[in-house]
Every structure is written in C-alpha cells, then in structure tokens.
Amino acid sequence: MHPVDVILMLEEEFRAFQPGFAQNGFHVRFVVIAFKENKAVRLFIQRIQCGRYALRVMLELAQSDSAVYMPLPLIAEKQGISEKYLESILAVLSKAKLLDAVRGKGGGYRLSKPAKEYTAFEVLSLTEGTLAPVTCLERGQQCENAVNCRTLPLWQGLDQVIAAYLCSYTLADLTREEKPQPKRRRTKT
C-alpha cells in the first residue's frame, strides 16, 4: 500500500484527534506514516499556523467578488485572526504578487489572478518557508550523512508525496460547495 493511501485512510481518525491536540497548544498540519515491521506508525509533524491562516485568507478572497478589494479589518473579522498578525501574512502574499493591495479608502486586498491558478502548495510553501519533512531536505541544507543515510530515500519520497498532494489542489477546488475529495493516486500491486 502506498503511504498516500494510508494517510488518506486515516484522515477521519486524525480529524477526531486533532481538536484535542490543538487545545494543548500544538498545531498539526500533516500526518506522516512510517512503516516499521509492517505496522503503520503515526508521526505528527508540527508546523506553525501561518500557512494555515494564509490559505484560509486566500480562500476568503477567492470566494469574494474578484473586482472588489476586501479591507483588512473585514478579512480579520471573518477569519478570526488579529489584524496585526493578518497584516504580516498579507504582506508576504502581496510581496510575492499573489495578492493585489490598495491602500486608503476603498482599499484592501484581492487575488491577483484567478483562483484556479493558485495551488495549496504555492501558498503553504511561501508562508511556511519549507514543507520538507526533515531538515536535511530544506533548501540550502547539506547533510553530512547523505551519502550513507539509509532513510534519505524515504524522506525524499515523502517530500515528493507532500508536494504532489498539495499541488493537486487549487484554490478553486477548495472553494467549491461540495467538500473536495482526497485525490488518490493509483498504486501498483
């Protein structure tokens, strides 16, 4: 069984677990499956919530009238995010040209291109800096053990699975009325 299939199968169980985990101050983004002696072991990779908020903001803007600029206070209110924190997220998104921004009366933020042209990967990797499951796969990192590391192929494969999965969802997919279905890849048996 492919790790992506296992991750998707555990999605409901993870959702039931996540609220209690978040109450303790942890913010979980990915459930990662490792195989040890034919048993799936759940590992939780903790990430900060900036990327999650950025994705929520992008979805809010994708659902609004694309010709109208949405003011920062309105976005903050709708998403339950402090204006100061939201301002820092919007600055990153605007600087990367994902958003158009106008200051002053009638100003605010809107998407700079159609929602179907943004991927979840683009938004998350921009705001998180990296989505690599281990430090040695982050840009600019050189692992001194890479030549002899027996787990490196596992982490590289997981990194590719995460990227492919997040690239498979656009903002347009996530704004649809019906809940987006996990996009599964066929595996060879």
Side-chain angles (χ1 to χ4, degrees):
M1 183 174 287
H2 197 276
V4 169
D5 295 324
V6 176
I7 290 170
L8 296 174
M9 287 183 343
L10 292 172
E11 183 178 12
E12 281 186 41
E13 182 182 331
F14 173 65
R15 283 193 184 146
F17 176 75
Q18 189 175 8
F21 203 67
Q23 287 172 358
N24 293 324
F26 296 97
H27 300 280
V28 179
R29 175 153 307 114
F30 300 108
V31 176
V32 181
I33 308 301
F35 292 93
K36 182 178 181 181
E37 300 174 12
N38 295 327
K39 292 184 180 179
V41 180
R42 285 174 280 180
L43 304 172
F44 297 94
I45 297 179
Q46 300 169 25
R47 293 273 187 194
I48 59 173
Q49 57 188 333
C50 181
R52 191 180 87 196
Y53 284 156
L55 194 55
R56 284 176 35 194
V57 167
M58 294 293 284
L59 289 172
E60 182 71 45
L61 295 172
Q63 292 173 324
S64 69
D65 181 357
S66 62
V68 177
Y69 287 90
M70 187 179 288
L72 183 137
L74 181 59
I75 300 169
E77 180 184 325
K78 285 183 164 198
Q79 291 301 316
I81 304 171
S82 79
E83 287 185 30
K84 188 172 185 171
Y85 187 54
L86 179 59
E87 195 169 19
S88 67
I89 294 170
L90 291 171
V92 170
L93 297 170
S94 295
K95 185 177 180 183
K97 306 277 191 239
L98 270 63
L99 298 178
D100 292 330
V102 172
R103 292 180 181 237
K105 188 174 180 172
Y109 299 87
R110 69 178 184 190
L111 298 181
S112 60
K113 55 189 178 182
K116 67 181 181 183
E117 294 182 26
Y118 295 94
T119 66
F121 180 81
E122 179 181 20
V123 175
L124 292 172
S125 62
L126 174 68
T127 53
E128 292 294 342
T130 182
L131 297 174
V134 290
T135 307
C136 64
L137 293 180
E138 294 175 3
R139 274 186 236 132
Q141 295 292 325
Q142 287 292 327
C143 180
E144 57 196 47
N145 297 323
V147 174
N148 298 317
C149 181
R150 292 178 182 227
T151 62
L152 184 60
L154 170 92
W155 299 121
Q156 288 171 329
L158 179 60
D159 191 40
Q160 292 170 358
V161 167
I162 291 169
Y165 184 76
L166 293 173
C167 283
S168 74
Y169 282 98
T170 66
L171 289 183
D173 293 332
L174 297 171
T175 58
R176 293 197 178 101
E177 289 279 329
E178 69 276 359
K179 183 179 175 187
Q181 294 299 311
K183 298 185 179 185
R184 297 176 188 240
R185 294 191 305 171
R186 295 228 167 216
T187 57
K188 294 178 183 177
T189 53

